[in-house]
Every structure is written in C-alpha cells, then in structure tokens.
Amino acid sequence: MSTQPHEKTHEIHFEVDGEPLETTEKILTPTQILGLAGVDAANHYLVQVEGRHQTSYQDKPNEEIHMHEGQKFITVATGPTPVS
C-alpha cells in the first residue's frame, strides 16, 4: 500500500498560437511557456489574450503567470520578419 498523499497531478490545458498544450505546473513564466510551445524566447515575446483584453509580457519574461484551464496566448516576433 502506498503512503504517498492522494494529490492528483492536475493537467491545465492552454493554447499558444492556437496550438493546444498542457502543463501540471500552477505557475509558469512567459519564457517557460514559449519553451513549451517550441518558440525561441530570444526573438519572441508572449501575449495573453482574454476576450478583447491582451496582456503583453514583452518586457516581463520572468513574471509569474498563474495558469488556469483554457488560457490563450499568442507569440509576437521581436526582430525583422524575413520576406519570402
């Protein structure tokens, strides 16, 4: 019989650029979220979208974001975009 507490890891589902992701962490930084999304934090920043309201983390890469089910984020490139 296990003596571990019955703390179930709760998965939090969220989106970055429309791609579904999940985490069991209750708090993440914009840099960590970009990493989970496979986006280079060196030349992108994160924006949280809540309806018509947007919260930019452009100058706050290490700010704590309390994760909640269904959060939506977009990434914004900071450098010049290549022209094809």
Side-chain angles (χ1 to χ4, degrees):
M1 194 143 186
S2 174
T3 57
Q4 293 288 333
H6 285 78
E7 187 175 328
K8 185 174 161 238
T9 48
H10 176 69
E11 287 185 346
I12 300 167
H13 299 87
F14 62 102
E15 287 182 9
V16 177
D17 293 338
E19 294 296 318
L21 294 167
E22 59 189 42
T23 183
T24 55
E25 299 296 321
K26 291 178 174 50
I27 296 174
L28 291 172
T29 66
T31 301
Q32 290 172 312
I33 293 170
L34 289 169
L36 287 171
V39 176
D40 186 357
N43 52 22
H44 291 80
Y45 65 92
L46 196 68
V47 176
Q48 182 173 352
V49 180
E50 301 169 89
R52 291 183 165 188
H53 180 74
Q54 296 188 352
T55 304
S56 171
Y57 294 97
Q58 181 172 10
D59 298 317
K60 302 176 270 189
N62 298 311
E63 183 166 308
E64 291 185 346
I65 298 174
H66 293 265
M67 299 302 293
H68 303 287
E69 185 70 27
Q71 280 175 298
K72 294 187 187 325
F73 300 93
I74 58 172
T75 61
V76 179
T78 56
T81 52
V83 178
S84 53

